[in-house]
Amino acid sequence: MTAVPPPISTTSPQVGTVHGAVRGALEQGVAVFRGIPYAAAPVGARRFRAPEPPEPWEGVREAVAFGPTAPKRPYSPPLDRLLPDPEVPGDGCLNLNVWTPSPARTGLPVLVWIHGGSLLHGSSAVPLYDGAAFARDGVVLVSVNYRLGIEGFGVFPDAPANRGLLDQLAALAWVRDNIAAFGGDPDLVTVCGESAGAISIAALLAAPRAKGLFRRAVLQSGAPTALPLDAAARRTTELIAKRLGVAATAGALAAVDPAELLTAQTEVTSGGSPLTGGNSFQIVVDGDLLPRDPLEALLDGAANDVDLLMGANSEEYRLWFVPSGLTERLSRIKLRLALLKFKVPGATARTYRANRPGATPGELLGALATDLLLRVPLNRVADARAGASGSTHLYEFGWPSPVLRLGACHGLEIAFVFDTLDRPDAVALAGEDAPQELADAMHAAWVRFAACGDPGWPAWDTSRPVMGFGPEAPAVVRAPRDEELRGWAPYRRNT
């Protein structure tokens, strides 16, 4: 799928950045600038390096079309039908987009969006991520591309780790230095992401170099996690190099044709999912950008001065389990083996089973995995922030999509947050009759959080308030599903 730029208005807003002037387009009253480079193209000698500043340009650069996307391949079937992933050819993938009410405004809150996609897929050109609704409501929206896969997160002995994370850091530095020219306040920046984007933000919260680049953060369906810099972290890189018959070094892989590298990467990483595992790329504790495990750092008080909004969808697992047939295919024997692998206590499994009469083994495993990987660590972070100067708010998205029985699956909330339910990729996941009133409520909450740090419900405290965005009107639930939460090791002492 190739991204097609929208029609250009006859009125063209122009802004000066530290690298040169850019000319965007005025679309339905919103000034939009696309494809602005925040770093040099990561090609040639720069391919596996940390990002470097772009070359300044003379004159005015046209910024009306999305810039090149990072090298990637589409999602594998059947997810490719549910998650369109536009591809824009070109080398300069380190670019970003800005939607603003007007460059002439001053002091507007800024929301920086970091996309998900398992660190293998996605881009800022996905139609769901259109920032027009945020700009309409007084927020400057910035969406960012970053390096993916082996180029962004491969682990080498001769290149810096976490290059995709370094790209995000460079984009945030660009926002600090330039966003005032677009009407935004560089001291009122919220960084927001979903899935791998949220995991990236959790790492940035624990990264000393990111301190001061944002005031607030939103984690949607992603929890703090990173691998130690060991053999497990290098495994995917080494398997790709072995398939290509070259050494597992940046120098050797830089000489490989990019298309061949992508093919080998796809072959090595196919067949798994964030819940079931498989060969993948992960953020690593590199001792430099990320000196320690992000979860440990946050539990110890890192970023306690940052306002935090975080949550997950009630049936995250259904995006992977339902289209693949795993909800029906998984046997009781395989369920028991999975419970042993994840070290799920027997009493915990019995509680989940009792609360879900009629659930298949696949549905039971999905519910357990969703909570183990998302809800439990997010609750732990929220509990650890008691008394922090930054506020903490939690939500749970529970509106069930009727499409393919996906339910409240992973990624479904994004179109509600961006108020883009009319986009074709939103319809593919949520259907044609998704409730606009729920999108109004979620979008307004994110706008409020970016503006003042209060999304509209009580901050986390000992009563454990969670805003439920479900099939009924949004409502706060106190201590939701605590019986299940207490079944996991970090909370057993509180039973």
Side-chain angles (χ1 to χ4, degrees):
M1 177 179 178
T2 301
V4 178
I8 302 170
S9 167
T10 55
T11 304
S12 300
Q14 186 170 310
V15 166
T17 77
V18 296
H19 301 111
V22 292
R23 181 185 295 117
L26 191 65
E27 300 171 6
Q28 298 181 331
V30 170
V32 187
F33 302 81
R34 297 179 174 89
I36 304 173
Y38 66 83
V43 295
R46 294 189 177 104
R47 191 170 176 189
F48 293 100
R49 286 182 182 172
E52 300 175 12
E55 291 290 330
W57 57 87
E58 300 290 335
V60 180
R61 184 186 185 106
E62 295 297 330
V64 295
F66 286 114
T69 51
K72 57 190 172 66
R73 289 283 167 81
Y75 287 94
S76 299
L79 290 184
D80 58 339
R81 301 195 306 273
L82 298 170
L83 303 174
D85 196 4
E87 181 181 355
V88 181
D91 293 330
C93 66
L94 301 185
N95 61 74
L96 51 76
N97 319 295
V98 181
W99 285 259
T100 177
S102 169
R105 299 277 295 274
T106 59
L108 294 172
V110 180
L111 189 72
V112 179
W113 173 253
I114 298 178
H115 69 81
S118 302
L119 304 179
L120 283 167
H121 304 283
S123 77
S124 64
V126 172
L128 281 184
Y129 309 155
D130 188 290
F134 278 103
R136 175 198 69 199
D137 295 329
V139 176
V140 178
L141 190 286
V142 181
S143 60
V144 175
N145 283 343
Y146 56 96
R147 278 174 285 183
L148 302 171
I150 196 165
E151 297 197 6
F153 296 93
V155 178
F156 304 107
D158 56 339
N162 297 318
R163 292 171 300 282
L165 204 60
L166 289 168
D167 295 341
Q168 297 168 20
L169 197 66
L172 287 167
W174 183 97
V175 170
R176 176 197 61 204
D177 297 340
N178 293 280
I179 206 63
F182 295 83
D185 184 346
D187 295 320
L188 199 56
V189 173
T190 298
V191 61
C192 177
E194 184 267 348
S195 192
I199 293 170
S200 296
I201 292 169
L204 292 172
L205 285 165
R209 269 193 261 171
K211 190 170 181 61
L213 290 176
F214 51 89
R215 184 170 174 178
R216 302 186 175 107
V218 183
L219 275 62
Q220 297 173 212
S221 302
T225 184
L227 291 178
L229 194 56
D230 58 12
R234 294 189 293 268
R235 175 176 171 79
T236 301
T237 302
E238 291 174 347
L239 288 172
I240 292 170
K242 182 178 180 181
R243 186 171 289 264
L244 291 166
V246 299
T249 64
L253 285 169
V256 175
D257 176 75
E260 292 182 22
L261 183 57
L262 268 181
T263 296
Q265 174 179 288
T266 302
E267 292 169 350
V268 167
T269 59
S270 62
S273 81
L275 292 186
T276 58
N279 297 317
S280 63
F281 291 100
Q282 305 289 335
I283 292 168
V284 297
V285 180
D286 59 9
D288 180 18
L289 175 63
L290 197 59
R292 60 184 304 203
D293 179 83
L295 180 58
E296 292 179 2
L298 292 175
L299 293 179
D300 284 348
N304 267 1
D305 58 336
V306 175
D307 296 329
L308 194 55
L309 169 61
M310 53 188 179
N313 300 351
S314 59
E315 298 176 298
E316 298 271 358
Y317 71 95
R318 296 186 75 85
L319 179 66
W320 299 284
F321 283 26
V322 173
S324 67
L326 191 59
T327 45
E328 286 77 27
R329 220 175 48 242
L330 191 78
S331 67
R332 292 188 179 276
I333 292 176
K334 288 186 177 179
L335 171 62
R336 284 196 287 271
L337 292 174
L339 297 182
L340 289 172
K341 175 183 176 181
F342 286 117
K343 299 180 181 178
V344 178
T348 303
R350 287 191 291 273
T351 298
Y352 275 72
R353 188 178 291 111
N355 290 346
R356 293 164 179 77
T360 66
E363 290 170 332
L364 184 60
L365 176 62
L368 286 157
T370 293
D371 282 2
L372 175 64
L373 298 176
L374 287 171
R375 185 165 167 265
V376 169
L378 292 179
N379 273 258
R380 290 186 67 195
V381 170
D383 287 344
R385 286 170 57 89
S389 59
S391 64
T392 307
H393 292 82
L394 263 67
Y395 76 89
E396 182 167 327
F397 180 84
W399 181 80
S401 170
V403 175
L404 298 175
R405 299 181 297 108
L406 287 173
C409 70
H410 189 70
L412 182 62
E413 88 290 353
I414 298 173
F416 292 82
V417 168
F418 275 82
D419 192 11
T420 50
L421 289 176
D422 59 339
R423 302 303 195 275
D425 41 346
V427 174
L429 203 59
E432 295 181 349
D433 299 316
Q436 180 60 44
E437 59 273 18
L438 184 57
D440 294 341
M442 288 196 79
H443 177 73
W446 266 241
V447 168
R448 283 180 52 121
F449 183 74
C452 66
D454 178 3
W457 64 87
W460 189 258
D461 58 20
T462 55
S463 68
R464 308 169 70 79
V466 175
M467 173 59 80
F469 293 104
E472 307 299 330
V476 172
V477 179
R478 302 276 176 175
R481 296 197 287 130
D482 261 17
E483 178 191 17
E484 294 178 349
L485 183 67
R486 285 193 296 266
W488 298 99
Y491 291 102
R492 284 185 207 158
R493 65 178 66 92
N494 298 325
T495 55

